Amino acid sequence: MKIAILPGDGIGPEVTREAVTVLKALDLPGMTLFDGDVGGAAYKRHGHPLPQETLTMAREADAVLFGAVGDPDCDGLERSLRPEQAILGLRKELDLFANLRPAKVFPGLEHLSPLKPEIAATLDLLIVRELTGDVYFGDKGERVAQDGGREGWDMMSYSDTEVRRIARVGFRAARSGDGRLCSVDKANVLETSQVWRDTVKDAASAHPDIDLSHMYVDNAAMQIISNPAQFGVILTGNLFGDILSDLASAAVGSIGLLASASMGDRATAGGLFGLYEPIHGSAPDIAGQGKANPMATILSAAMMLRHSFGMEAEAMRIEAAVSGALADGIRGGDLGGTHGTEAIGAAVLERL
């Protein structure tokens, strides 16, 4: 179990430290941790946000636990040297094509959601988003429009090969959950989505135990807000996944509780290689003050144990400890509480 720890910038080192403490408390056999520099911290030490030694470390690891990147001191740098290029570079170099983002409202926190409490209580889903294709990575440019004005264009495309590999992730995730998979597209107007839907349907023949459904993206956005209980796992493309995952995150009520994983298809002893990180940023305004909520990073570590090492029982122990701490009123400033980073980490550790 070789795990690369990349704390990054801002509150990244603070929240990552608490997650590492939780991992060590499990006393997992064969676990080895390696620390590396990324983001603004790496630029200041090495002259690049993703040094070669860090990239090599990540390639040789079985999983990466990532903090956050972003440093106002680096805002004036050319784009290729800005801290954010570290995470983009890791996704590209490690071929992390699948993004997994769970969205769940913990009991007792329903009032923090913008949804009605009785609806918020039913929100517990996982969005599997294709991460390296779609319109974001297609050809793009600017041209002169017919009326002589400016016209921007972007090409959206998916091959059946790209769809099949992300569909495998979706079916696997659904099997680990309650067996429901909803594939989201816009096949009524987009040829790209028609290829997506046809390919997912074809892939379903190898997964007869999964309850597969299909939904247009506009309806999916409405249903996540009005009836989230109908969803187990949502499978969708890069553009739609970007929007829907942020929508689901907002419905939870706090980004301080939201973990994520970016995965490829390289096998590990217990699952697949992945990079695991909280969805929040580096929050430089509170960095070093001990105010950050580490629960999202701790939950990211739980996802790592589940998806890269096949340690479902250990992952559930961590999640139960976080849930228990929340139920006992342990809350950071993002949840309207006063507990600091170390106090929250200690509370989770105690319940573990």
Side-chain angles (χ1 to χ4, degrees):
M1 294 179 62
K2 295 187 292 184
I3 303 172
I5 308 295
L6 307 181
D9 306 320
I11 63 172
E14 300 170 65
V15 296
T16 304
R17 188 180 305 118
E18 301 304 320
V20 168
T21 300
V22 169
L23 285 173
K24 289 180 176 179
L26 291 171
D27 195 24
L28 302 173
M31 184 178 73
T32 306
L33 307 179
F34 303 90
D35 294 321
D37 293 326
V38 288
Y43 174 79
K44 291 174 180 177
R45 294 190 186 114
H46 309 279
H48 196 277
L50 182 58
Q52 184 58 48
E53 51 264 45
T54 299
L55 181 56
T56 299
M57 178 190 301
R59 282 177 172 152
E60 294 177 350
D62 298 306
V64 175
L65 184 62
F66 193 91
V69 289
D71 185 342
D73 293 345
C74 300
D75 287 349
L77 297 174
E78 60 178 272
R79 190 168 299 279
S80 63
L81 296 177
R82 292 180 186 176
E84 294 76 15
Q85 295 303 311
I87 188 64
L88 297 177
L90 284 167
R91 288 173 180 169
K92 177 181 178 181
E93 294 295 331
L94 301 175
D95 194 24
L96 304 177
F97 63 86
N99 181 247
L100 279 61
R101 186 181 291 188
K104 174 183 178 180
V105 174
F106 285 87
L109 301 183
E110 295 87 355
H111 66 286
L112 297 176
S113 171
L115 305 181
K116 294 179 179 179
E118 61 272 21
I119 295 178
T122 68
L123 179 63
D124 185 3
L125 57 84
L126 174 69
I127 294 178
V128 176
R129 166 192 171 191
E130 201 287 327
L131 203 57
T132 59
D134 208 343
V135 69
Y136 290 176
F137 290 86
D139 290 339
K140 56 190 83 261
E142 186 175 311
R143 58 196 173 201
V144 178
Q146 290 185 352
D147 62 1
R150 294 175 62 194
E151 182 178 79
W153 61 273
D154 301 87
M155 187 178 79
M156 170 185 280
S157 67
Y158 266 123
S159 69
D160 57 356
T161 301
E162 290 175 303
V163 179
R164 272 195 297 270
R165 72 174 186 173
I166 190 65
R168 285 196 296 269
V169 178
F171 282 111
R172 184 170 57 247
R175 184 168 293 109
S176 298
D178 63 7
R180 292 179 297 160
L181 178 65
C182 179
S183 179
V184 172
D185 57 45
K186 192 64 176 170
N188 56 335
V189 294
L190 297 175
E191 288 301 321
T192 300
S193 281
Q194 190 61 59
V195 170
W196 177 283
R197 181 172 291 212
D198 292 344
T199 305
V200 173
K201 284 182 177 179
D202 182 63
S205 62
H207 306 276
D209 56 321
I210 301 302
D211 180 13
L212 175 66
S213 61
H214 301 269
M215 189 176 291
Y216 297 142
V217 64
D218 44 354
N219 186 30
M222 180 176 67
Q223 295 297 326
I224 288 174
I225 296 301
S226 60
N227 184 22
Q230 68 185 285
F231 297 109
V233 176
I234 292 176
L235 171 69
T236 191
N238 206 348
L239 175 61
F240 300 153
D242 191 1
I243 297 168
L244 293 181
S245 60
D246 281 354
L247 174 68
S249 300
V252 169
S254 172
I255 59 174
L257 298 175
L258 296 169
S260 74
S262 298
M263 307 183 69
D265 54 12
R266 173 159 66 89
T268 61
L272 294 174
F273 175 87
L275 182 149
Y276 302 86
E277 61 178 321
I279 73 162
H280 60 66
S282 59
D285 56 323
I286 60 170
Q289 299 177 34
K291 295 181 179 180
N293 184 353
M295 285 181 169
T297 312
I298 294 172
L299 291 170
S300 295
M303 289 189 73
M304 178 180 69
L305 295 182
R306 173 176 292 117
H307 295 291
S308 286
F309 300 111
M311 295 183 170
E312 180 65 24
E314 291 81 355
M316 291 180 67
R317 281 187 63 195
I318 294 176
E319 291 164 349
V322 170
S323 182
L326 290 169
D328 292 337
I330 306 298
R331 305 188 184 166
D334 60 309
L335 298 173
T338 59
H339 291 85
T341 308
E342 291 185 3
I344 295 172
V348 173
L349 197 62
E350 179 183 358
R351 285 151 184 82
L352 186 71

